[in-house]
Amino acid sequence: MEELSDMRFNVLKMVFSKWYDENRCLTMLKVLFREHVGVGKLANIRNTMDLLNDLVRSNRLSPRDLTIICDTITVTKHYALQRKIQETFPSFPDIREGLISTKFTSHRQKLMKFGMALTPADVRQIDGLYNTPCKEYEDAWTMIIDLEKNLKIKEDMTDFYQSLEALNLRLALNALKEDIANTPSALGTNFTSPALVYRTRPVGSPHIQEAYRMTELSSLEFNQLLGNVSSWWEHYGNVNMLKVILSEFKVIPVSLMEEQNQPRSLFQLLKGSGLISQSNVDVIIETVVLGGQSGVEPKIKESIPTFPGLNQVEINSFSKHRRNLLEFGKVIGTSNKERIGYLFDLHVPELKDQWCLIFQLEKRHILTEDLHVKQAFVNKIMDNGMIAEAQALNTY
């Protein structure tokens, strides 16, 4: 990307700042930038623009070096922001999941993955373990800031790992332990945006593979596809089942997922996280197939004649665990839904259907991809005579 004039650089900062402020991500950014901005300064920053201006003053961001902007999008997984920026700056680099960050340490990136994996219930448990009385943190990021300040979270994570194990927060612990393949020490940091050294993941390792690929849609076609699928799902599908399907993607906070009651708003979360775009509709197409909504195909073809159809779709974007959960949901009857709810101390009146049950089991880490957790759950329901349900969880 060419060096920007001062005016265009300010416009870029405005677009970037508005995005993170509107998505209420300032505390997330304060966690991310702790190694670039002094802790005292961070405490007084009130908006994203203040944060960017401090980076400019310290020469970490400039009109000729936008690397830290690109890396921020990569690490926070706000990939849709790239397209927003490209509306004004077409030469802004393409950023995709799996790119290498060169500006943030492995430790910092792990904390970001950790924060994204935490549910509000997780935050309350950690708060209760470390604070008497509880501080009642506003969100995961506020908690991480406080625990770093009080040296409960630090480079040596051994003690903190043990705390998470004691609370049985396996998903959050796994996110914190996940290896970060490339760090600044390996790549160096002295390069400018025209020579970004990002590289994509090796073929075969992505979370979303490219087995089903339509030609890139126009903005109108893409919005029409979202509208058709959303309307169809609202009339013939189950929005709670859709929440279970889309819970595959941990980049979407559980709390945000739980708040949505319309298919369209759930698909907008996919769009905002960069999981679907005009050039990649794999996830939405596979979701239609998994959710048994193939009847929408003729409707899609009315507005997108080039739509290749659903017959040959391969499920590559969703894990075997996710598909097992869907099979599990299909065999749970009303009485067994309530029995499972009572077994695991879930508030049964709030479990409107089996999909609400599964969503809560996942949210509370009672049923997860972890083999030990899953087996304990399977054993429990088998002990209570729910053989078909147990078998469904081992379909794939």
Side-chain angles (χ1 to χ4, degrees), residues 306-336:
T306 57
F307 181 66
L310 301 171
N311 290 337
Q312 303 303 316
V313 173
E314 297 179 11
I315 305 302
N316 293 307
S317 303
F318 295 87
S319 64
K320 290 181 180 179
H321 172 67
R322 189 63 36 193
R323 298 172 73 181
N324 282 332
L325 289 180
L326 294 175
E327 296 302 317
F328 176 53
K330 292 172 186 176
V331 300
I332 299 175
T334 301
S335 61
N336 281 347

Side-chain angles (χ1 to χ4, degrees), residues 122-357:
D122 296 340
V123 173
R124 288 193 292 273
Q125 286 194 67
I126 297 170
D127 184 9
L129 182 64
Y130 281 103
N131 301 307
T132 304
C134 291
K135 294 186 177 181
E136 299 183 353
Y137 298 111
E138 182 178 347
D139 55 29
W141 308 110
T142 305
M143 181 190 73
I144 292 172
I145 289 171
D146 184 62
L147 293 180
E148 281 204 279
K149 175 184 175 183
N150 291 294
L151 301 181
K152 304 299 183 183
I153 292 179
K154 49 191 176 182
E155 288 281 350
D156 181 356
M157 302 287 277
T158 304
D159 291 342
F160 193 64
Y161 288 162
Q162 292 174 353
S163 297
L164 296 180
E165 288 171 352
L167 295 173
N168 198 31
L169 300 183
R170 292 181 178 270
L171 292 183
L173 178 60
N174 290 342
L176 195 57
K177 285 185 171 183
E178 185 175 342
D179 287 336
I180 304 295
N182 300 94
T183 62
S185 60
L187 292 173
T189 58
N190 296 320
F191 56 86
T192 57
S193 52
L196 291 177
V197 296
Y198 296 133
R199 68 171 182 263
T200 57
R201 293 179 284 207
V203 175
S205 64
H207 189 59
I208 300 174
Q209 299 175 2
E210 299 186 6
Y212 186 90
R213 182 73 65 186
M214 292 171 58
T215 57
E216 182 166 350
L217 303 178
S218 68
S219 177
L220 181 60
E221 287 174 327
F222 179 62
N223 289 332
Q224 186 69 60
L225 174 64
L226 286 181
N228 287 337
V229 173
S230 300
S231 297
W232 187 273
W233 205 292
E234 188 170 352
H235 284 93
Y236 302 105
N238 183 308
V239 70
N240 297 319
M241 180 189 192
L242 183 58
K243 289 181 183 182
V244 170
I245 294 173
L246 300 185
S247 292
E248 175 80 9
F249 306 110
K250 305 310 179 188
V251 65
I252 304 176
V254 174
S255 56
L256 275 182
M257 189 90 70
E258 199 166 19
E259 290 173 0
Q260 311 308 318
N261 294 308
Q262 299 296 327
R264 184 58 185 255
S265 58
L266 287 166
F267 287 125
Q268 286 297 325
L269 290 178
L270 293 181
K271 181 180 176 182
S273 300
L275 291 164
I276 57 173
S277 66
Q278 291 171 225
S279 61
N280 186 354
V281 295
D282 294 9
V283 170
I284 193 169
I285 296 300
E286 292 179 33
T287 298
V288 166
V289 175
L290 284 176
Q293 303 303 313
S294 299
V296 73
E297 182 175 332
K299 189 69 176 175
I300 296 174
K301 284 186 174 179
E302 287 178 13
S303 54
I304 308 174
T306 57
F307 181 66
L310 301 171
N311 290 337
Q312 303 303 316
V313 173
E314 297 179 11
I315 305 302
N316 293 307
S317 303
F318 295 87
S319 64
K320 290 181 180 179
H321 172 67
R322 189 63 36 193
R323 298 172 73 181
N324 282 332
L325 289 180
L326 294 175
E327 296 302 317
F328 176 53
K330 292 172 186 176
V331 300
I332 299 175
T334 301
S335 61
N336 281 347
K337 177 205 74 174
E338 294 182 355
R339 289 177 66 200
I340 293 171
Y342 284 121
L343 275 173
F344 294 98
D345 293 324
L346 301 176
H347 188 52
V348 174
E350 293 181 356
L351 305 177
K352 297 178 182 179
D353 57 30
Q354 71 271 40
W355 306 111
C356 289
L357 168 69

Side-chain angles (χ1 to χ4, degrees), residues 108-124:
R108 196 57 36 189
Q109 293 180 61
K110 287 181 179 181
L111 288 183
M112 296 302 292
K113 288 178 177 289
F114 172 62
M116 292 175 191
L118 290 172
T119 68
D122 296 340
V123 173
R124 288 193 292 273

Side-chain angles (χ1 to χ4, degrees), residues 15 18-19 79-89:
V15 173
K18 184 178 179 182
W19 176 275
Y79 302 112
L81 174 56
Q82 165 198 296
R83 292 188 293 279
K84 187 72 174 175
I85 293 173
Q86 287 175 334
E87 291 174 5
T88 306
F89 302 94

